[in-house]
Structures are given as C-alpha cells and as structure tokens.
C-alpha cells in the first residue's frame, strides 16, 4: 500500500517541474508568498487529478466529457485518493438556502418534528392525538365489563352511489347490519326491490356494523380486530356505539365514541394536517408560508425610497417615481392636489402636514395615491422595465403572517420539547447544543428519535468545533463569508465520516480569531485521525506549528515562484532561510503605536443596533488607521459594514443610497457625528469583482482600454480595418462568438458540479484567429493577457498611465496575477486587494475619504503583510481614514487605534470590550485579543506560557 501521494514533474501554471511527496493520513501544509504556486499545486494539480480519475469511474454519460477535461500539466501522479476540495468561495445566491439546509441539519430537524412532535390546538390548547387501534381499544375496554357495544364505520356517501348499489356493496363485503339514523336494520331488510320505502333514501347517517359484543377482559383481541377493520373500511374513521338492546329493532344508542386516525382536536374538533417532514419544509408549497412563499419576508413599498430626500419639495420632485418622464401626468396631478388642498408645493416634504402626506401616499376620493399607483403597475410585471422600476421602491419586510418563520401556521402548531421548529432554528449553534442537552422525551419518543438526535448532535458539535457556534440555523447562506462557508463544508465533511479521502482546503482559518484557531485545528486533527489525508494552503503560524509536514513554495511570486524551497517540520522551518522562515523569526519586530489623541477629530456613532450589536456607542479617530477586532462572531462586520458604512452613505450621499443595498440587513443608529468632516465613504470588501470569466484584473483597473488602443493603432490593424473594439472580448467584432469571449463553456454535469471546459471553437483563446495575428512587440492580444503584472510592467515600460495602474497592483502584492485571469478564479482576498489598488490608482484629489476594509490580509504570506501596511499607511498619510476588520496580530499591533468587540460571540458579543491603542488593549484583562497580542509582541514577558494558539480557551481564561 502506498504511503504517500507522489507527484513528479508538476508544471501547472508557474510550477517548474517540481517533485513532491504528500504523506497519506497526515496533515500537510502548503505555504509561501502569494502567487508562489500553492493553489496551482493543491487545487489545479492534486485535486484536479483526483477529480478526473473519479469521473473516469462513472457512467458513459460522464466519460463523454472526460476528453474535454484538461489534464493537469504533470508527468505522473501516484497514490491519489478520492478528493474533496473545500475552497473560500460562497457561490450560494438563493435566499432560500440557510445554514440549516446547507449543513443538512434542518433535514434532521424536520424528521424529528414529524416523528415525535406534539400538535397543540391553538384554540383550546389541547394536545392533538390521532386515534390508533390500540388507543381506541383501551378506551372501549375502560367502559366496564358487560357494556354492550357496536363497532361501526360510516358508509361511503359518494354522490353517484344509489341505495341499491350501496346495499349490494354491503352484501358483497359480508356486512349484515347497519344503523340508519340510530335505527338498526338487517341488510336484507333494505331490499331495493321491495315496495316499502327504503330508509337509505332519506338517511342522514348510515353506520355499518362490523361487530356486536359485550366488553369483557378477554375480548381485547376480537375488539382490536374489529376496530382495525372499521378504520380500514371507514378510511380512517370508526365509531363505537354504547347501546341498550330492546325487542326487534329497538336498539337505543346511549353513547357514541368517535375515533379518527386524522389529526383532529378531541375538544374543539379542529382539524390539522398530518405532521409529515414536508410540512416543515419552507422550500415546498405544502410547508411554505402562503404569504411569503417560504422566504420569511415580503417586498413592500418603502416611503423612504419613494421619498429619498425629505428636503425636496413637491415642485422639485419629492415623489421620485413620478419624476420619470412617462409619468408626467401623475406629477401634474400632484401639483393640482396641492393647490386644491391649499398647500404650498415649494415646501419640503418633511414640512407638509401629515394628512397631506397620507393623501399623496395612499390616495383619496379624487386622487390615486402613490402606493395604489405602484400596485396598479404590478399588472404589467411581465415587462422587465416595469419589474426594475417597481423593485427600486421596495424593501424586504418581515412577513406579517409567519413573522419570519417561513412556514405555514399549521407547521408552527407542532412542538418538540415545548418549542416550534422555527423557534429552535432561530437559536445559535451553541444555544441549540444546550437545547438538545435539556430536551426531555418519553422513553418511547427517545427510542424513535435516537438516531435523529445523534446525527443532529454530531453536526452541531462539528459546527461549533470549527468556530461557527455563533451562527443560527436560520441565517441565510448567501450572507456568509467565504471563510464561514468553507468551515461549514468542513463540518459537513466531518459528518459524512469518510475515510481514506484527500481533503484540500484553502486558508480555512480566514475569519477566525486567534482564540478560535486551536479548536479548529482540533477538527483538522480529527479529520486526519480518521484515516484521511489533509492538504491545507495556509499562512497562519498556529497551523504551520501543528502540521505533520510543511511544503514551502517560492522563492517569489509568479515567474519567480513555482519551486519547492522547503520541506520538513515547523522546527526546521524556523531555521530555514526562506521567506516564511525569515518572517517567522522577524515578525515580532513591529513596534507598538500610540496615538491617543488623533489630530483629525472623531467619528462618533451612537445607538448602533443590528443582530447581536445592541445600542452600542463607539468612536473612530479620523485620519488614522483603526482596526476593529474581536472573537469570531462578536459583531465586527455588523458594526463596520452594516451600520457604520450605511450610516455614512446615508449622510454623505442621501437616503437614495439605500437602493443599492436591496435585500441586505439595515442597521439602526441614533446619531452619527463627525461625518461632515469626510467627503466620501469607500467600502473595499471581498465580494467578487465580476461573476463571469470576462471580468479580470486589467479590465477592473481600467487599463485594458489603453492596451486595446495600442493594438488598434498598429499599422497592421489599420490596414485590416481593426478598431479598439475588435480587441475586446466583451463586444461583438473580434471575439469568439461561440463562447462570447469567455474562452470556456459551462457544462452541466447533472449529478456533479458544473464543469468549465475550454471552448471547442477558439480552444480557450477568446478571439478570432485573424485578431491574434496582430502583434505588438511580438505579442498578440492573447499573449499580453497571459502576462503577469510583474511582466507587464516591464513590457509596457513606455506607457506611463498603464504602468502606474499596474504598479499599484504590484504594491498590494498582486504582481503574480495574470492580466486576463478570470475574476471567477480570484479569492476574496485577491478581489479586495484589487479594489485597494484601483483606489490607489485613482487620480489624486483633495477629498478626504474613509476606507472600510474587511480582512485585507487574506491570502498574504507572512512576509507580505508589512508591504500592505505600507500601502494603508500611505492612504492615512494623505489625510484619509482607514477602518479595518481584522484578526491578524501584526496588523493589530501596527494600528493607531483598536476597537475590540466581544467578549464572546453571538448573543454574548456585540459589546465594546476596550478601545484604545494596542497597549491599552493589552492592558485590558477582559480582552481575549489583548492576551494574544501581548504574547505575540513579547512572548517572554507575557503571562501566557506557551503559544496561545495551541492552548484551550478555558486555559487562557484562567
């Protein structure tokens, strides 16, 4: 049996024919500078070959695509295992997907509620229990010995069933007695051929008698059989009559005991649906709330969007929808209404009388108000421009019927442990773990739910172990960061209990505070100890320390990388003369900054509230570098991105800016003071720069236009009549029309994830062959797009403007990117640094900006962070304010000001632990960040013995 994955002659992308051994059933960490070839080796070589070999073992349908799947550029790979890739990208777009659904946890919860849930009648509060043969038998036997009873079922009363057919039907099935409106008849007495009136003709109720017996202890088996027959013949309904027999047909019914297998309240008679798993699914019409269709929210017209600027008057177009040219008549009607009501149309909207605003918004006897007008337009929603027009005035509001639960009311009448499924889904993972521990079930229910509870507990434990205990199962999956989604996939992998599998992970510690890293490393250890091979691309020191084997690629990025410069243990890496080894030895040389009284003033946000941030007052120094930190899930992104940035936009750009964030959570705040000192707020996050392969770095920084112009001005281009548009893959002309300039086609694999294949027409070259014949300094437009940023700077040395833009990319550590690299292949960190580079490349102006960034160090090697800090310092020195959400201790140590949130995650977070200089944070005993930072800067003086990232949080708390 092979003990390792052997790779010989790997040449994918910038790899230079390296030979690598990756041991089986061990954790191997790939590290090195950005662009050194780590992902090329891990994903484009090892995982791609594992995927290719897996497809080979599948059906003929899958194999038809195999020849089009490019093989990795490698001499040979031996010992490859079935592969699972867990990267940073969050491709979920549907608002129906939640943390519970993507982890399969919600599926087990639906099964739990359907198996052991108690349906509670909302009218009388009684528990709704369907009758069974056993329960009905017990109730009849409880009547007392000697009680005469008839076991009956209601006769089928189908509209087309005549009395004659009914009698014949009963005879054929062997029944001889019926109770017609309380009177007993023999079936033979109901002969339709008789001249006597047939009782069935005018019957209101006909009960077919299955058995007549007296209650005694030894009659249980006979009674059970009769009741089973009655339930079967009566389509789930049976009735036991307590009778008093007399002469002839004189049978008096003293008491009726109705039984039904349907869910019906025994006290008030209200019916309920059978609690099947589908009833608890908000993705199916059976369970989804009919009002919001399972989304938990409905789109409603928002006055703040209809009137984006309350300072504007009716004459100036305060009602935005009627400022559109096609609605000039409605705009004129507004002025007529104002004149009839004696209102000055030049008054600002906010100064108009309340009754006038109500009239304009909701209408009156002689005037169609704005909201009725918009609703009338919905009849033409089949037209795209109408949908776009209406959507810009709508905001999602919590559904008034299900109150955000997504489910129909009947599903919310079922409880487990006294809670509805919606109430439990709203709990965080950590709170759900406590709920499971306190759940009390009867012995029978516990037996039924044993497997479900075990699977639920496993998944919840795994999610908590990977640092996601602060998430609720109802959280929309599309709102998760790339790091959170990667850890969710890892938790699913743990739940699947696979063995002898290769797991390839891309920087899984993204978004994790130093305190949370150790627990996460324990999860990777469990994955390895089950007999799996774990290959991790990572820069985090704690991960390097726990690795069984470390492989460092380098020595530089792009064409300067692609070599194996180190392999061995962490202890050997500390002595190595490589980029990572030197950075590990030198990383604590950063000094402590102190800027308690910044000269730029303060930006004070008061009453900030959203999610777990509740009524928080916080101040940000202007003209300084501020880092917002805290344990994972403490509310950092909520405060900075969802509250501070939205507040700045509202104050700097007006209320109309809210339209750009439709569907996103909107924070609340009381006051924002100091924003008047700023002129622009810039959000630089990790969202993709584009969603198609045609988006790439050179187009994003606005440099592709100059390259196309260079090619268009060549003599050969003029001779052929080629303009700049012919060298674009975004418009018709010179691009390949088969793939529309993408260079690839997306093949739906049905049973697998979609696969991107090179275009069969252009073979991935994007352009028509005649366009590629035009050369600039010996290179075609395709050759230029294949240049790295570092190569392009030397190639375009005479183009100053283009060179300046490319230099900014190089400064933020992206010199290894190829100019035409598809945006779909960029990580979140690379996309964010591209945005930083574009900001740096903007023409200088005297505008004072605030830059808000979300973990800009993602993807950077240990030695590259100092260069990024230099770029951020340049922004600050120009008078700008920079606010970062960050966990990296090097960045925290270099900050002017630190805002530490916590003290814990979820409901236990969202509060200000400490704000001040790095020294102030280290002095705060309640700050987890302070303890780790103190060790990071001076391990010998720290009170923590040993590296904190390798200790249990409880040990640190002590």
């Amino acid at each position: 049996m092979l003990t390792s994955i052997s790779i010989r002659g790997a040449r994918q992308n910038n790899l230079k024919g390296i030979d690598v051994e990756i041991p089986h059933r061990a954790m191997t960490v790939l590290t090195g500078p950005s662009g050194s070839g780590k992902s090329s080796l891990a994903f484009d070589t090892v995982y791609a070959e594992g995927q290719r070999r897996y497809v080979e073992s599948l059906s003929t349908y899958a194999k038809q695509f195999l020849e089009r799947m490019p093989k990795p550029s490698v001499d040979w790979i031996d010992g490859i295992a079935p592969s699972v890739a867990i990267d940073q990208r969050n491709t979920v777009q549907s608002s129906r997907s939640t943390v519970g659904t993507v982890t399969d946890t919600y599926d087990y919860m639906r099964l739990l509620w359907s198996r052991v849930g108690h349906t509670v009648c909302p009218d009388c509060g009684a528990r709704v229990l369907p009758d069974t043969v056993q329960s009905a038998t017990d109730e009849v036997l409880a009547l007392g010995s000697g009680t005469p009873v008839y076991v009956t079922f209601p006769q089928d009363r189908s509209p087309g069933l005549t009395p004659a057919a009914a009698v014949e039907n009963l005879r054929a099935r062997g029944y001889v007695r019926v109770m017609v409106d309380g009177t007993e008849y023999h079936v033979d007495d109901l002969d339709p051929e008789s001249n006597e009136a047939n009782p069935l003709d005018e019957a209101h109720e006909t009960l077919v008698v299955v058995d007549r017996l007296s209650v005694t202890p030894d009659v249980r088996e006979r009674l059970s059989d009769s009741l089973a027959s009655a339930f079967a013949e009566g389509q789930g309904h049976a009735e036991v009559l307590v009778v008093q027999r007399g002469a002839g047909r004189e049978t008096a019914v003293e008491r009726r005991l109705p039984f039904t297998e349907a869910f019906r309240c025994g006290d008030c008679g209200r019916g309920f649906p059978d609690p099947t798993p589908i009833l608890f699914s908000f993705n199916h019409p059976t369970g989804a709330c009919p009002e919001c269709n399972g989304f938990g929210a409905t789109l409603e017209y928002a006055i703040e969007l209809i009137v984006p600027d309350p300072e504007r008057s009716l004459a100036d177009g305060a009602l935005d929808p009627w400022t559109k040219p096609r609605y000039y008549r409605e705009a004129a009607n507004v002025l007529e209404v104002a004149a009839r009501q004696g209102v000055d149309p030049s008054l600002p909207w906010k100064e108009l009388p309340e009754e006038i605003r109500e009239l304009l918004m909701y209408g009156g006897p002689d005037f169609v108000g704005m909201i009725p007008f918009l609703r009338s337009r919905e009849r033409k929603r089949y037209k795209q421009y109408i949908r776009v027009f209406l959507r810009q005035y709508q905001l999602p509001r919590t559904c008034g019927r299900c109150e955000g639960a997504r489910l129909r009311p009947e599903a919310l009448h079922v409880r487990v442990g006294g809670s509805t499924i919606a109430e439990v889904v709203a709990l965080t993972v950590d709170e759900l773990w406590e709920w499971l521990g306190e759940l009390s079930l009867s012995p029978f229910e516990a037996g039924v739910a044993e497997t479900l509870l075990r699977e639920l507990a496993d998944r919840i434990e795994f999610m908590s172990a990977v640092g996601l205990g602060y998430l609720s199962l109802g959280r929309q999956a599309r709102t998760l960061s790339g790091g959170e989604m990667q850890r969710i996939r890892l938790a699913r992998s743990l739940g699947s209990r696979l063995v002898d599998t290769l797991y390839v992970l891309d920087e899984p510690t993204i978004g994790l505070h130093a305190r949370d890293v150790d627990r996460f490393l324990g999860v990777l250890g469990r994955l390895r100890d089950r007999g799996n091979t774990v290959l991790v691309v990572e820069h985090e020191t704690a991960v390097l320390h726990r690795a069984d084997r470390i492989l460092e690629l380098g020595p530089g990025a792009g064409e300067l990388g692609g070599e194996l410069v180190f392999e061995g243990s962490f202890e050997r890496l500390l002595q190595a003369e490589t980029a990572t080894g030197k950075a590990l030895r030198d990383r604590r040389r950063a000094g402590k900054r102190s800027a308690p009284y910044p000269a730029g003033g303060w930006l004070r946000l008061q009453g900030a509230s959203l999610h777990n941030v509740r009524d928080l007052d916080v101040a940000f120094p202007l003209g300084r570098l501020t880092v917002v930190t805290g344990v994972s899930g403490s509310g950092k992104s909520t405060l900075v991105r969802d509250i501070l940035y939205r507040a700045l936009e509202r104050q700097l750009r007006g209320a109309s800016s809210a339209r750009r964030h439709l569907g996103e959570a909107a924070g609340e705040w009381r006051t924002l003071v100091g924003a008047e000192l700023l002129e622009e707020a810039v959000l630089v996050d990790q969202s993709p720069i584009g969603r198609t392969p045609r988006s790439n770095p050179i187009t994003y920084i606005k440099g592709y236009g100059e390259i196309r112009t260079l090619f268009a001005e060549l003599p050969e281009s003029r001779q052929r009549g080629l303009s700049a548009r012919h060298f674009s893959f975004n418009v018709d002309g010179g691009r390949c029309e088969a793939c529309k300039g993408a260079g690839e086609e997306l093949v739906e694999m049905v049973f697998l994830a979609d696969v991107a294949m090179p275009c069969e027409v252009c073979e991935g070259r994007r352009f028509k062959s005649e366009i590629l014949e035009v050369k600039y300094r010996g290179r075609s437009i395709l050759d230029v797009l294949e240049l790295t940023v570092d190569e392009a700077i030397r190639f375009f040395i005479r183009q100053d403007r283009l060179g300046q833009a490319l230099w900014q990319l190089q400064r933020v550590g992206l010199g290894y990117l190829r100019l035409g690299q598809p945006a779909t292949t960029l990580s979140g960190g690379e996309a964010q640094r591209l945005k930083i580079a574009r900001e740096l490349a903007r023409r200088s102006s005297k505008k004072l900006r605030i830059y808000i960034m979300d973990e800009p160090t993602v993807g950077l090697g240990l030695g590259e962070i100092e260069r990024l800090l230099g770029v951020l310092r340049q922004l600050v020195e120009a008078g700008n304010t920079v606010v970062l959400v960050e966990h990296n201790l090097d960045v925290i140590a270099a900050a002017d000001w630190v805002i530490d949130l916590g003290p814990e995650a979820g409901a236990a977070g969202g509060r200000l632990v400490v704000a001040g200089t790095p020294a102030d944070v280290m002095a705060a005993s309640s700050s987890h960040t302070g303890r780790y930072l103190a060790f990071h800067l001076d391990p010998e003086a720290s009170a923590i013995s040993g590296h904190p990232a390798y200790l249990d949080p409880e040990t640190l708390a002590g």
Side-chain angles (χ1 to χ4, degrees), residues 602-663:
W602 293 87
L603 184 66
R604 300 184 186 277
L605 181 67
Q606 295 181 325
S609 298
L610 180 65
H611 302 322
N612 64 335
V613 176
R614 298 176 295 276
D615 198 25
L616 180 66
D617 297 340
V618 63
F620 301 84
L622 296 175
R624 291 291 185 266
L625 173 62
T626 298
V627 172
V628 180
T629 188
V631 298
S632 306
S634 59
K636 303 180 296 297
S637 295
T638 296
L639 172 65
V640 173
R641 184 183 59 204
D642 299 331
I643 303 178
L644 175 64
Y645 178 63
R646 301 293 180 258
L648 287 167
E649 272 206 319
R650 179 66 61 91
Q651 190 154 330
L652 297 176
R653 299 183 183 178
S656 59
S657 64
R659 292 183 198 150
R660 301 193 305 116
H661 311 291
L662 295 174

Side-chain angles (χ1 to χ4, degrees), residues 87-104 428-429 463 466-492 510-511 611 632-633 637-638 641-642 663-665 685-688 691 828 854-855:
D87 59 18
Q88 301 172 20
R89 285 176 289 181
N90 183 358
T91 57
V92 176
Q93 297 299 321
S94 172
S95 58
R96 289 187 179 276
S97 295
T98 65
V99 171
T101 58
V102 299
T103 59
D104 299 330
T428 64
V429 169
M463 290 177 65
V466 297
L468 298 176
Y470 58 90
L471 294 179
S472 69
L473 295 185
R475 170 90 171 263
Q476 288 187 1
R478 68 178 184 178
T479 66
L480 300 175
S481 68
E484 288 171 330
M485 181 56 75
Q486 184 174 205
R487 294 197 293 279
I488 278 181
R489 295 192 188 110
L490 184 60
R492 287 187 63 182
I510 291 171
H611 302 322
S632 306
S637 295
T638 296
R641 184 183 59 204
D642 299 331
E664 296 185 13
D685 59 11
Q686 297 183 23
S687 59
R691 299 192 180 277
D854 187 6
E855 292 194 81

Side-chain angles (χ1 to χ4, degrees), residues 337 341 343 352-363:
V337 170
Q341 298 293 328
V343 175
L352 292 176
E354 182 64 28
E355 59 272 16
I356 299 300
R357 285 186 285 181
E358 288 285 326
L359 173 64
L360 293 172
M361 201 57 64
Y362 298 102

Side-chain angles (χ1 to χ4, degrees), residues 2 63 145 196 399 416 474 566 668 863:
L2 295 175
K63 289 181 180 179
S145 182
E196 298 181 9
C399 175
V416 172
F566 173 84
E668 298 178 355

Side-chain angles (χ1 to χ4, degrees), residues 318-393:
L319 297 170
D320 189 77
W322 286 339
T323 60
K324 307 299 185 284
R326 70 172 53 244
Y327 300 123
Y328 66 92
R329 292 189 182 88
E330 287 77 6
N333 289 340
V334 169
L335 299 181
E336 293 178 6
V337 170
R340 289 200 302 267
Q341 298 293 328
V343 175
D344 184 359
S346 63
L347 281 176
W349 172 268
K350 65 179 184 180
E351 296 182 13
L352 292 176
E354 182 64 28
E355 59 272 16
I356 299 300
R357 285 186 285 181
E358 288 285 326
L359 173 64
L360 293 172
M361 201 57 64
Y362 298 102
D366 301 320
F367 176 72
V368 177
M370 174 59 73
I371 290 180
F373 165 78
L374 292 174
R375 286 174 177 159
S376 70
R377 299 293 92 189
E378 293 178 0
R379 295 194 300 269
K380 297 185 178 180
R381 288 185 65 89
Y382 59 88
K383 298 182 179 180
Q384 183 178 5
Y385 79 92
I386 291 291
R387 292 197 301 272
V388 173
F389 169 71
L390 296 177
R391 184 67 180 89
Q392 62 183 319
Y393 302 110

Side-chain angles (χ1 to χ4, degrees), residues 431-631:
E431 291 169 341
L432 182 54
W433 179 259
E434 295 178 6
W435 182 84
L436 279 176
E438 297 171 356
L439 182 61
S440 178
L441 300 176
S442 68
F444 173 77
E445 292 171 341
V448 171
E450 180 181 2
T451 302
L452 297 175
L453 292 175
R454 183 174 63 250
E455 293 290 343
L456 267 177
D458 283 350
R459 280 159 174 76
I460 293 165
E461 180 188 4
F462 296 148
M463 290 177 65
S464 181
V466 297
L468 298 176
Y470 58 90
L471 294 179
S472 69
L473 295 185
R475 170 90 171 263
Q476 288 187 1
R478 68 178 184 178
T479 66
L480 300 175
S481 68
E484 288 171 330
M485 181 56 75
Q486 184 174 205
R487 294 197 293 279
I488 278 181
R489 295 192 188 110
L490 184 60
R492 287 187 63 182
S493 297
L494 284 168
S496 64
R497 295 184 176 85
L498 295 177
V499 295
D500 287 326
T501 301
L502 169 65
Y503 286 92
V504 185
L505 290 85
D506 186 12
E507 295 193 75
T509 60
I510 291 171
L512 282 181
H513 188 271
R515 192 201 68 169
D516 303 312
V517 171
D518 187 62
R519 280 196 307 168
F520 178 72
L521 286 172
V523 171
L524 293 184
R526 291 170 63 180
L527 202 60
R528 173 200 59 197
D529 296 341
R530 285 182 177 175
N532 298 298
T533 303
V534 181
L535 180 60
V536 186
V537 176
E538 189 56 86
H539 300 109
E540 172 61 42
T541 306
V543 181
L544 295 173
H545 186 273
R546 292 278 286 272
D548 298 308
R549 185 180 183 84
I550 298 173
L551 303 175
E552 182 178 353
L553 299 184
E559 61 181 355
L560 300 178
E563 299 178 20
L564 184 63
V565 298
F566 173 84
E567 56 181 323
S569 65
F570 180 75
E571 290 72 20
R572 287 187 54 204
L573 181 62
L574 289 174
Q575 309 302 320
E577 293 299 320
T578 63
T580 303
K582 292 176 181 177
L584 285 171
R585 294 194 297 272
D586 301 340
R587 66 183 309 182
R588 295 190 178 94
R589 295 184 302 176
K592 304 174 187 178
R593 292 189 174 272
S594 178
Y597 303 106
W602 293 87
L603 184 66
R604 300 184 186 277
L605 181 67
Q606 295 181 325
S609 298
L610 180 65
H611 302 322
N612 64 335
V613 176
R614 298 176 295 276
D615 198 25
L616 180 66
D617 297 340
V618 63
F620 301 84
L622 296 175
R624 291 291 185 266
L625 173 62
T626 298
V627 172
V628 180
T629 188
V631 298

Side-chain angles (χ1 to χ4, degrees), residues 783-813:
D783 296 331
V784 168
L785 291 173
E786 289 297 313
L787 293 174
T788 66
V789 171
D790 292 335
E791 293 169 339
I793 289 175
R794 296 192 295 271
F795 185 75
F796 294 109
I797 194 169
R798 295 185 179 89
Q799 280 68 43
D800 291 340
R801 288 185 59 185
L802 180 58
Q804 282 289 331
L806 293 172
W807 178 62
Q808 301 297 354
L809 288 176
Q810 191 181 59
R811 290 182 64 202
V812 297

